[in-house]
Every structure is written in structure tokens, then in C-alpha cells.
Amino acid sequence: MARWKTYIRILDDESGTALVIAMVFLGLLTTIGLYSLLNSTTELTSSARYRGDKEAFYAAEGALEYVKGDGYYFTTKGTLNFPDNNHPTAAARSLQSPGTDAGAGTDASGSVRYLNNGNPPPGYGFSVKDTMSGYFVIEATGTSGSGMQNVQEEGVAKILPKG
């Protein structure tokens, strides 16, 4: 019987219980903190990739729009690469954008390829007897400051007067 009383006295002793409870909560809070850190690191990486991809996309789109508005690239019956060091306008010899404090800028390059001449596209109101079209394909590759790349391609018809 005395042995049972010793066991009961040992089990009734609550000293150290607070330490055990504190250790369990400390382990739980450490696990939650590590999960939050891992999750935020993953989110930062994902958003950096998204930003790089969007910068590259807009660099390629900007290059397409710039080249479409520059008649110099549509004077060939071959392929012209851009930017072109022989371009008569000095500002058109580079498609780089300056970087920011956060990183490097974007850049774009590509080519304009002549396909053929023909009648103007229907529905634009141009007469077949007065005008003709030169058909081209523009391919632009945009590169973000972080090195992500995006390729855009577009077909263009340049309408010119005959004669």
C-alpha cells in the first residue's frame, strides 16, 4: 500500500507542468513561423518571375509597335534585324530602357522579314488599281532586366501607292 501512495504522490506532483506546456507551445509557434517564412519566400520568388515576364512581354510589344511605325524597316525585300546600327536615326539604334535602382532595364531585338507584294487587304477601302501592299512578318524578343525573355510575332501589310 505504501508503494501505491508513493506513485500517487509522484503523479500528483505538478512541478514542471508549466515547462512542458511552454515547450509544446514554443514548438508549435516555431513551426508556424517557419511555414510563414517559407511561404513568403515562395511568394516573393513568384512575384519576381511574374514581374520579369511582364517586363519582357512589354519590351517585345513596345519593339513591335516601334518598328511598325518606322518606315525604314519596310524598305527591304529581305530581312532586316533591329535595332539596326545603320539606321539613319541615332535614337533608333538601341531599344534598351534604362534600369532603375531596383535593377537593370529591358532590351528588345528582332527582325522584319519581307514575304511578298500583292493587292491591299480587302475591307480597308484601297483601290487595287492605285495601291499595292508589301507583306512583312515582324518578330521581336523582349528581355527583362532579370533575363526573362518573351517572343512576339505579328504580320504587317504596308500599303503603298503604285507607280
Side-chain angles (χ1 to χ4, degrees):
M1 192 76 156
R3 194 185 284 166
W4 288 107
K5 287 184 181 182
T6 305
Y7 288 139
I8 290 174
R9 196 174 338 127
I10 291 172
L11 293 176
D12 282 343
D13 186 12
E14 294 181 4
S15 63
T17 305
L19 178 63
V20 171
I21 291 172
M23 293 299 285
V24 168
F25 277 115
L26 184 62
L28 181 64
L29 290 175
T30 301
T31 303
I32 291 171
L34 288 174
Y35 174 76
S36 298
L37 181 67
L38 177 66
N39 191 32
S40 66
T41 303
T42 303
E43 289 293 322
L44 285 172
T45 304
S46 175
S47 66
R49 277 198 193 114
Y50 179 77
R51 178 182 176 177
D53 186 48
K54 285 298 173 190
E55 285 177 351
F57 173 79
Y58 288 124
E61 281 290 312
L64 282 176
E65 293 302 317
Y66 182 80
V67 169
K68 285 192 310 188
D70 189 346
Y72 169 78
Y73 292 104
F74 302 102
T75 59
T76 183
K77 292 214 178 200
T79 300
L80 273 178
N81 294 322
F82 60 86
D84 186 359
N85 290 331
N86 298 321
H87 197 290
T89 308
R93 294 181 191 149
S94 174
L95 294 175
Q96 288 183 325
S97 70
T100 63
D101 292 340
T106 61
D107 194 10
S109 62
S111 63
V112 177
R113 183 170 40 100
Y114 170 78
L115 295 176
N116 61 8
N117 281 336
N119 292 332
Y124 286 91
F126 292 100
S127 167
V128 174
K129 69 177 188 168
D130 297 329
T131 59
M132 60 181 268
S133 290
Y135 292 94
F136 299 86
V137 172
I138 307 170
E139 184 178 288
T141 302
T143 306
S144 72
S146 61
M148 300 280 289
Q149 289 192 329
N150 188 287
V151 178
Q152 300 290 318
E153 184 176 279
E154 187 170 338
V156 176
K158 287 295 181 177
I159 300 171
L160 305 168
K162 283 186 179 175

